[in-house]
Amino acid sequence: MALFLLFAASVLLAATAHHVPGQEDFLSIDCGLDAAFSGRMDTYTDIPYESDDPYVDGGENHEISTDQQESGLEADLLTLRSFPTGTRNCYALPAQSGAKYLLRMQFLHGHYDGNKSSSPVQFDLYLGTNYWDTVQNGSYWWSEAVFAAWASWVPVCLLNTGRGTPFVNTLELRQLEDSLYPDVTADLSMSTFERINLGANTTTRYPDDPYDRFWWRRASSSWAYLSTQSPIVQLEHDSFDVPVSVLQTAVTAVGNGTMLNILTWEGYKASLMFKVFLHFADFQKSQLRQFDVYFNDQRLDNYSPTYLTASSVQSSGWSKSPDGMYNVTLAANNVSVLPPMMSAYEIYSLIPHHTQRTFSKDFDTMMSIKHEYGVIKNWMGDPCFPVQYAWSGVKCSNTTDNITRIISLDLSNSNLHGVISDNFTLLTELRFLDLSGNSMNGPIPDSLCKKNANTFIFRYDSDKDMCNGTTSSSLSKKKTTIISIAVVVPMVIVVALVLSCLIWGRKRKPKISTHDPPRVPEPRSAPASIKQNGDHLHNTENRRFTYKELENITSKFKQSIGQGGFGLVYYGRLEDDTEVAVKMRSESSSHGLDEFLAEVNSLTKVHHRNLVSLVGYCWEKTHLALIYEYMARGSLCDQLRGKIGVNETLSWGTRVRIVIESAQGLDYLHKGCSLPIIHRDVKTNNILLDQNLRAKIADFGLCKTYLNDMQTHISTNAAGSAGYMDPEYYHTGWLTESSDVYSFGVVLLEVATGEPPMLPGHGHITQRVKQKIATGKINMVADPNLGGAYDINSMWKFVDTAMACTEDAAIRRPTMAIVVMQLKESLVLEESREDIRVWGSFTSTKGDPLSTFGPSAR
Ligand SMILES: *[C@@H]1O[C@H](CO)[C@@H](O)[C@H](O)[C@H]1NC(C)=O
Ligand SMILES: *[C@@H]1O[C@H](CO)[C@@H](O)[C@H](O)[C@H]1NC(C)=O
Ligand SMILES: *[C@@H]1O[C@H](CO)[C@@H](O)[C@H](O)[C@H]1NC(C)=O
Ligand SMILES: *[C@@H]1O[C@H](CO)[C@@H](O)[C@H](O)[C@H]1NC(C)=O
Ligand SMILES: *[C@@H]1O[C@H](CO)[C@@H](O)[C@H](O)[C@H]1NC(C)=O
Ligand SMILES: *[C@@H]1O[C@H](CO)[C@@H](O)[C@H](O)[C@H]1NC(C)=O
Ligand SMILES: *[C@@H]1O[C@H](CO)[C@@H](O)[C@H](O)[C@H]1NC(C)=O
Ligand SMILES: *[C@@H]1O[C@H](CO)[C@@H](O)[C@H](O)[C@H]1NC(C)=O
Ligand SMILES: *[C@@H]1O[C@H](CO)[C@@H](O)[C@H](O)[C@H]1NC(C)=O
Ligand SMILES: *[C@@H]1O[C@H](CO)[C@@H](O)[C@H](O)[C@H]1NC(C)=O
C-alpha cells in the first residue's frame, strides 16, 4: 500500500510540475529600480526583477533610507516609486486576456523622503475600476489579488486619498492554472487576507510554490507543531495546489486537548465579505482522527483528513461577520482517538466588481496605439472609467449597459510620428478620429478609407489625395483633409444627435437613416402593427390612433388610472389584448401642445429599458393623447404611501433595485445622447412599476434638450413639482442635469424614510433627514414600515448618496452615473445581508465523500 502511494505520488507530481507555468512566465517588477540594473536576479529565488519604467508613466524613483536597510531585507524592497503628483497613477501590466493571475504589491516606506517623523501614509489600490485594498501601514504592507484578466493589460492604480504620497516597492504578477481557485471568474476577483503555512518556521514561496504564492508562518503557544518527510499526494486538477512542503507541516492541539482553535481575527473592514479555505493532509495514520469543523455559524461534521493526500474544505459563499470576528474551530468528535490537525489555510475577501469598464478589445487597441506612438498624455487605467479619469481625447459611448465602446478619439497636435496604423481601424465603433497637427506620413490605410463617410469623420493633414477618389482635388491643397465633407460642415450636431440617439438607443432597429434628424412625427395614416410583447413595443413605429379607436380601446374612457401632467390617464386594451395606458390632454390643462410635442419628441428619440415606452399617439383636432405601455403596479409613490390596492411594504432590497433602475433611466437621458436631455420633473409619481416591479421613468412633458454646448440653459418659466425643485435652479434659472439629480435625491430620501417631501409644519425632507442623521442613528431615518429589515451599512450608503444628490450647490452633486454606482454598492451590502440569512452550510472541494454539510444546529 505504501509503495503504491509513493509511486502514485511521484507520477502525479511529475505530471503537475510539467504543466505548471514556470518562472519564465513571471513578471517581477522592482519599482524604482534604475533601468540599467533591470534584470537583476533575486538572491533567494533566482527570479529576475525588472525596472518599472516601461509599465508606468509618472512618479519618482527613491531608495529607502540607509538606516532602514537592515541586512536580510529583500532587495526588491530597497527601491520604490512614489507618486507626488496626480490623484491617480496607474501601472499597466501585460497579461493574457481571460487567464487567471495572482498579483502582489509590496510597500515599505523606509523614510525614503528623509522625514523620520512623517505620519503613516494611507492610500487606495484599484484593480482596473474595482476597489481592491487600502494600504494602511507605512512600515510594511502587502496586497494581493487573484483575478481573471479581462483584457491584454491589467491596470493597477494607486489613488491618493489625501493621507500622504502613494508609493510602491514591488509588483509581482504570476499566472495561475485555470483550474485553480474556481471561485475566481471574469466577474469575481478576490483579495488575499491571509495565507498561512501552519507549523512552519519560515515563509514559503517560489520555488516551493510554483506560483510564488507567499505562505506566511504563524505561531501560537496553544498549538503543537507536527512535521513529516513523507511525500504527500496532490490529486490532479487540485483547486489549490498547496505546495507539498506546506502540507508536510501542521499544527494540532497541545496536551490531550480535543479542540484546535485555529484563529479568531477581526476583519479590518467590517463591510468586506470573506471566504476561508482550509487545507489538510494527515501524516500520522496510527489511529482514527475525525473532527467537526466550525466557521462562525457554519459547520461540517465528522471530517477526516486523508492520509498523505491533500484535501481542502471551504466555507460556502462569501460571508460577513457582524462583529468582525471570525472563528475556525476544529473539535474532535467522540469516536476520534487523535486530536484535530490542520496544515494551512487561506482567507480571501471579495473584490466587488463594477460592471462599468471599457470593452476589452477597445482597451487593448488603445494600449497598442499608446505604445505604437509613444503617446504622452494622461493615459492610465481604464480608458473610460471612472469618468473623472477618462483618458484625454477619448470619448466613450454613454450606454448604461456593460459594453462601453470608444466612439471618438482626438489625437490632434499630439506630436505623433510615423505612418497611420491599422490599429485605429480596430476601434470598430469609432465615429470621429482627429490626427491633424501631427507629423505623420504615409497613406491612409484602406480600412479607414472604406469607412462609411456618413458615420465616420476623419481629420488628417495631407498635401495630396490620400484615399483615391474620396477627397476632392479642390481640398487637396488645404492643410487639413476632411473625409466625409458632406457631413462635417452643417450637420455635425444633427449627426451627433442622430448617431447617439438612434444608433445606440435603438441598436436593434435595422432601418435607420442617418440623414433623418429626429423630429416630431407628422400625422401619418398607416398604422404600423404592434407587437404583443410590451418589451418590443419600442421597436415598432409609433402608431397613430384615431379618437374613435381610443374610445374602443378604453371602452369609452371607463377606467381612469391616474392623473398625469396634462390630464387623466385611462386603462385600455389594444385589439391584441396588449394593455396600455392612455394619457388624454384635458381641455383645461395648462400644459399645452408644447409639452405634448416635447414628450413625443423625447420618447421617439430615446429608448431604454428604464424609460417608459410609447406605443402611439392621437392628434385629431383638439384631441391630443399619448398611448404608453401599461405599468401594472402603478407609481413608486403609490407603493410607498400604501395606496388602495397596495397591501405589502416594499422590502429594502426591492426599493434599492427600483431606484437603481430609475437612476439608470435618468443616467441614460443625461448621457445616452450626445446632447443631454433633462427630465425636469423627477418624482415618485413619475417612476412607474410594471408587474415585476421593474421601474421606468415616465412623464417627459417638461423635458428639455440642450441644443448645443454653448447654449445657456436659462429657462424663464420655472417648471417641476413642489418639494423636488433644485434650489439652485429656483434662484438662478440655470437648468442642468444636476437639477434632476437633486429631484432624484428627494426621491431617494422618500424611499428611505417612507415620508413625502413636504410635511406641513416639519419642513422639507432634506432638513428632516439631516436632523435625524445628526443623532448618528440610521434607524431614526429609515422607514418604520421596514421593521428594521435592512442592512445598516446599505441604508447609510443609500442615505449618504441621497444627501449628496440634494446638496444645495449643484456643483457638489454627483452625476447620475456615480449615483448608480453608489446605489449598486448599497444593494450589494443589502444582498449580502439577505444571503447571510439563507446561508449557513459548508462545502468541501474535493477528496472526501463525507463532505456534504448541513447548516449548524445552533
Ligand atoms: C515630516 O512629517 C511631518 C508629519 O507628516 C510634518 O509635519 C513635517 O513637516 C515633516 N518634516 C519635514 C522636514 O518634511
Ligand atoms: C505595521 O507594520 C509593522 C511592521 O510590520 C507592525 O509591527 C505593525 O503592527 C503594523 N501596524 C498595523 C496597524 O498594522
Ligand atoms: C524549525 O526550526 C527548528 C530549529 O530552529 C528546527 O529544528 C525544525 O526542524 C524547524 N522546523 C521546520 C518545519 O522546518
Ligand atoms: C494525556 O493523557 C494521558 C492519559 O490520560 C496521560 O497519561 C498524559 O499525561 C496526558 N498528557 C498530557 C500532556 O496531559
Ligand atoms: C469559536 O467557535 C467554537 C465552536 O463553535 C466555540 O466553542 C468557541 O467558543 C468560539 N470562540 C470564540 C472566541 O468565539
Ligand atoms: C457520539 O456522539 C453521537 C452524537 O453526538 C452519539 O449519537 C453517540 O452515541 C456518541 N457515541 C459514543 C460512543 O459516545
Ligand atoms: C498595433 O500596435 C502595435 C504596437 O503597440 C504593433 O505592434 C502592431 O503591429 C499594431 N497593429 C496593427 C494592426 O497595426
Ligand atoms: C458622457 O457624455 C458626457 C457629455 O454628454 C461626457 O461629458 C462624459 O464624459 C461621457 N461619459 C463617458 C463615460 O464617456
Ligand atoms: C454584459 O453582461 C451580461 C449579463 O450580465 C453578460 O452576459 C455579458 O457577457 C456582459 N458583457 C461584457 C462585455 O462584459
Ligand atoms: C488606391 O489606389 C491604389 C492604386 O491604384 C490601389 O492599390 C488601392 O487599393 C486604392 N485604394 C482605395 C482605397 O481605393
Side-chain angles (χ1 to χ4, degrees):
M1 187 58 185
L3 264 177
F4 171 74
L5 277 175
L6 217 90
F7 176 73
S10 53
V11 167
L12 282 168
L13 284 172
T16 316
H18 184 69
H19 60 255
V20 158
Q23 73 156 70
E24 63 275 12
D25 298 323
F26 290 177
L27 176 60
S28 309
I29 299 175
D30 184 349
C31 305
L33 182 68
D34 191 296
F37 299 110
S38 202
R40 67 154 189 86
M41 292 290 179
D42 184 81
T43 42
Y44 171 66
T45 59
D46 264 357
I47 296 174
Y49 280 75
E50 342 175 6
S51 155
D52 58 352
D53 279 354
Y55 306 105
V56 67
D57 291 338
E60 299 173 350
N61 289 357
H62 289 280
E63 224 174 284
I64 66 171
S65 105
T66 40
D67 60 337
Q68 301 282 315
Q69 301 185 3
E70 311 158 14
S71 65
L73 192 63
E74 280 156 39
D76 51 282
L77 295 174
L78 296 177
T79 58
L80 57 89
R81 184 178 293 253
S82 75
F83 299 95
T85 57
T87 328
R88 193 186 68 143
N89 284 277
C90 304
Y91 283 82
L93 307 178
Q96 188 183 319
S97 183
K100 251 177 223 179
Y101 288 92
L102 173 99
L103 172 62
R104 179 171 48 238
M105 295 175 83
Q106 296 184 76
F107 311 87
L108 177 67
H109 188 278
H111 304 314
Y112 74 84
D113 53 0
N115 186 347
K116 292 205 174 65
S117 54
S118 60
S119 38
V121 174
Q122 182 174 318
F123 53 93
D124 286 350
L125 299 180
Y126 280 76
L127 192 55
T129 53
N130 302 313
Y131 168 79
W132 163 16
D133 199 6
T134 299
V135 177
Q136 296 180 32
N137 189 344
S139 302
Y140 173 74
W141 189 266
W142 58 272
S143 296
E144 218 185 65
V146 183
F147 63 95
W150 59 95
S152 306
W153 295 90
V154 181
V156 182
C157 302
L158 295 84
L159 191 76
N160 187 329
T161 50
R163 300 189 184 189
T165 302
F167 66 92
V168 55
N169 304 57
T170 312
L171 272 160
E172 293 161 313
L173 187 67
R174 313 292 186 230
Q175 191 173 343
L176 303 177
E177 285 289 286
D178 284 347
S179 56
L180 254 62
Y181 301 104
D183 291 271
V184 172
T185 63
D187 298 317
L188 192 153
S189 311
M190 49 194 208
S191 170
T192 312
F193 185 81
E194 278 189 301
R195 186 184 298 105
I196 302 292
N197 180 5
L198 289 165
N201 283 346
T202 54
T203 301
T204 304
R205 62 176 294 191
Y206 184 85
D208 290 298
D209 188 320
Y211 307 102
D212 195 25
R213 285 170 292 186
F214 282 7
W215 296 84
W216 308 84
R217 63 182 286 271
R218 185 177 162 178
S220 163
S221 56
S222 56
W223 304 334
Y225 288 51
L226 304 174
S227 67
T228 185
Q229 297 295 318
S230 310
I232 289 171
V233 179
Q234 295 272 10
L235 297 181
E236 214 158 345
H237 304 303
D238 188 302
S239 302
F240 302 99
D241 225 344
V242 180
V244 169
S245 69
V246 169
L247 294 170
Q248 282 173 328
T249 62
V251 296
T252 184
V254 285
N256 286 342
T258 55
M259 193 92 126
L260 184 60
N261 192 231
I262 292 295
L263 63 135
T264 56
W265 85 89
E266 198 164 345
Y268 67 96
K269 268 204 162 175
S271 66
L272 295 183
M273 306 227 277
F274 288 93
K275 188 156 187 172
V276 54
F277 303 99
L278 312 178
H279 304 299
F280 302 95
D282 199 341
F283 43 76
Q284 293 184 312
K285 200 185 170 67
S286 47
Q287 276 159 311
L288 180 64
R289 186 194 308 278
Q290 204 178 71
F291 48 85
D292 299 341
V293 182
Y294 298 84
F295 171 56
N296 286 7
D297 59 351
Q298 295 187 33
R299 168 177 180 169
L300 158 63
D301 282 338
N302 303 335
Y303 186 72
S304 262
T306 325
Y307 183 59
L308 293 185
T309 302
S311 70
S312 303
V313 158
Q314 61 180 312
S315 59
S316 77
W318 293 87
S319 67
K320 200 164 55 168
S321 159
D323 55 3
M325 291 292 285
Y326 293 81
N327 175 1
V328 173
T329 296
L330 312 182
N333 65 15
N334 58 8
V335 298
S336 182
V337 182
L338 295 173
M341 72 183 281
M342 184 155 90
S343 301
Y345 66 83
E346 295 172 83
I347 301 163
Y348 292 92
S349 66
L350 181 72
I351 299 181
H353 273 218
H354 286 297
T355 48
Q356 284 195 315
R357 61 187 186 216
T358 306
F359 183 60
S360 60
K361 290 207 169 67
D362 282 4
F363 176 29
D364 288 346
T365 304
M366 290 302 294
M367 287 300 292
S368 294
I369 291 169
K370 172 180 160 137
H371 285 132
E372 190 170 2
Y373 294 100
V375 175
I376 304 174
K377 278 176 184 263
N378 224 16
W379 280 14
M380 292 190 289
D382 184 281
C384 302
F385 297 103
V387 177
Q388 67 268 35
Y389 299 115
W391 291 12
S392 60
V394 171
K395 285 212 177 76
C396 305
S397 63
N398 258 324
T399 46
T400 46
D401 63 21
N402 53 2
I403 303 173
T404 299
R405 304 295 306 261
I406 290 173
I407 56 170
S408 161
L409 178 56
D410 180 353
L411 275 171
S412 58
N413 307 308
S414 300
N415 196 21
L416 308 188
H417 298 269
V419 298
I420 301 180
S421 164
D422 270 339
N423 274 321
F424 290 111
T425 23
L426 300 180
L427 299 168
T428 52
E429 292 295 308
L430 203 61
R431 310 281 154 185
F432 178 84
L433 174 61
D434 193 342
L435 297 178
S436 59
N438 294 303
S439 339
M440 298 175 97
N441 52 41
I444 299 175
D446 272 5
S447 44
L448 279 185
C449 291
K450 285 191 186 122
K451 290 197 107 172
N452 184 345
N454 289 332
T455 56
F456 182 65
I457 301 172
F458 179 45
R459 298 215 175 107
Y460 175 56
D461 307 329
S462 78
D463 296 327
K464 47 184 191 300
D465 267 8
M466 288 303 196
C467 290
N468 316 350
T470 315
T471 313
S472 76
S473 52
S474 64
L475 267 181
S476 58
K477 286 182 195 72
K478 294 200 175 161
K479 196 67 185 136
T480 299
T481 299
I482 300 173
I483 307 179
S484 62
I485 325 136
V487 183
V488 171
V489 193
M491 289 183 60
V492 172
I493 291 165
V494 170
V495 166
L497 194 92
V498 172
L499 287 180
S500 54
C501 295
L502 292 186
I503 298 194
W504 301 317
R506 282 182 171 180
K507 224 162 206 159
R508 284 169 296 177
K509 188 176 169 185
K511 46 171 183 168
I512 293 159
S513 157
T514 49
H515 299 291
D516 230 15
R519 55 193 132 90
V520 177
E522 297 296 331
R524 248 173 315 176
S525 46
S529 69
I530 307 277
K531 284 194 189 144
Q532 293 212 1
N533 186 334
D535 275 337
H536 293 129
L537 285 174
H538 67 251
N539 286 335
T540 60
E541 290 291 328
N542 292 313
R543 168 179 173 183
R544 186 180 177 213
F545 291 82
T546 63
Y547 188 69
K548 186 102 195 82
E549 280 174 314
L550 289 191
E551 284 187 334
N552 289 341
I553 290 170
T554 59
S555 312
K556 290 209 172 5
F557 307 103
K558 199 165 97 198
Q559 188 188 349
S560 158
I561 51 174
Q563 172 89 43
F566 67 50
L568 282 174
V569 183
Y570 298 92
Y571 176 81
R573 258 175 199 279
L574 299 184
E575 307 83 325
D576 63 4
D577 268 352
T578 307
E579 294 180 298
V580 292
V582 178
K583 185 158 133 188
M584 299 296 297
R585 177 197 167 206
S586 74
E587 306 288 317
S588 62
S589 168
S590 58
H591 292 3
L593 193 60
D594 285 351
E595 283 80 7
F596 175 79
L597 294 181
E599 178 135 20
V600 174
N601 201 5
S602 305
L603 285 173
T604 48
K605 263 193 303 201
V606 297
H607 299 277
H608 187 272
R609 65 180 180 282
N610 301 119
L611 300 177
V612 80
S613 48
L614 189 65
V615 175
Y617 62 96
C618 167
W619 185 356
E620 195 180 287
K621 293 184 195 130
T622 57
H623 299 300
L624 295 180
L626 293 170
I627 297 90
Y628 300 94
E629 62 181 314
Y630 176 64
M631 301 293 284
R633 305 284 284 262
S635 73
L636 179 57
C637 183
D638 296 346
Q639 294 285 334
L640 289 175
R641 301 290 142 65
K643 255 227 174 130
I644 304 147
V646 177
N647 38 24
E648 50 182 326
T649 303
L650 295 177
S651 75
W652 180 242
T654 305
R655 292 185 193 196
V656 181
R657 273 174 217 116
I658 288 172
V659 294
I660 288 175
E661 289 179 2
S662 319
Q664 288 175 333
L666 269 184
D667 179 46
Y668 179 77
L669 276 184
H670 291 173
K671 303 290 183 53
C673 300
S674 58
L675 300 178
I677 295 173
I678 301 168
H679 186 287
R680 295 211 295 171
D681 200 12
V682 175
K683 53 183 175 180
T684 45
N685 304 65
N686 284 342
I687 294 173
L688 302 184
L689 302 170
D690 73 6
Q691 191 56 48
N692 304 317
L693 290 172
R694 203 161 158 199
K696 301 193 187 220
I697 304 263
D699 218 328
F700 295 71
L702 295 177
C703 84
K704 278 268 186 288
T705 307
Y706 297 165
L707 288 183
N708 61 53
D709 286 344
M710 293 299 130
Q711 186 184 20
T712 53
H713 318 299
I714 295 179
S715 161
T716 42
N717 52 332
S721 302
Y724 293 90
M725 198 113 70
D726 171 5
E728 191 163 299
Y729 170 54
Y730 204 78
H731 296 309
T732 63
W734 283 81
L735 178 66
T736 65
E737 295 95 314
S738 61
S739 310
D740 281 352
V741 174
Y742 181 89
S743 311
F744 190 73
V746 175
V747 167
L748 292 181
L749 291 176
E750 276 186 83
V751 167
T753 62
E755 293 177 7
M758 308 292 260
L759 268 184
H762 294 90
H764 190 254
I765 195 162
T766 53
Q767 259 93 51
R768 301 198 308 265
V769 171
K770 230 176 243 161
Q771 281 162 11
K772 290 176 184 165
I773 287 178
T775 68
K777 292 185 191 137
I778 198 66
N779 60 349
M780 298 282 288
V781 178
D783 184 352
N785 286 326
L786 290 169
Y790 52 84
D791 177 272
I792 286 173
N793 293 322
S794 165
M795 183 64 78
W796 269 119
K797 179 98 213 168
F798 189 98
V799 172
D800 284 347
T801 308
M803 294 314 283
C805 293
T806 51
E807 282 276 358
D808 279 348
I811 190 123
R812 295 173 62 187
R813 295 174 205 149
T815 63
M816 285 313 296
I818 304 227
V819 173
V820 169
M821 281 197 291
Q822 299 196 331
L823 291 176
K824 282 184 174 170
E825 282 170 28
S826 166
L827 183 60
V828 167
L829 293 168
E830 171 61 10
E831 279 175 343
S832 64
R833 180 189 71 93
E834 292 172 353
D835 285 352
I836 285 168
R837 260 197 347 233
V838 296
W839 160 84
S841 65
F842 250 113
T843 50
S844 162
T845 49
K846 64 168 193 291
D848 212 294
L850 283 176
S851 316
T852 44
F853 315 112
S856 158
R858 285 189 291 153

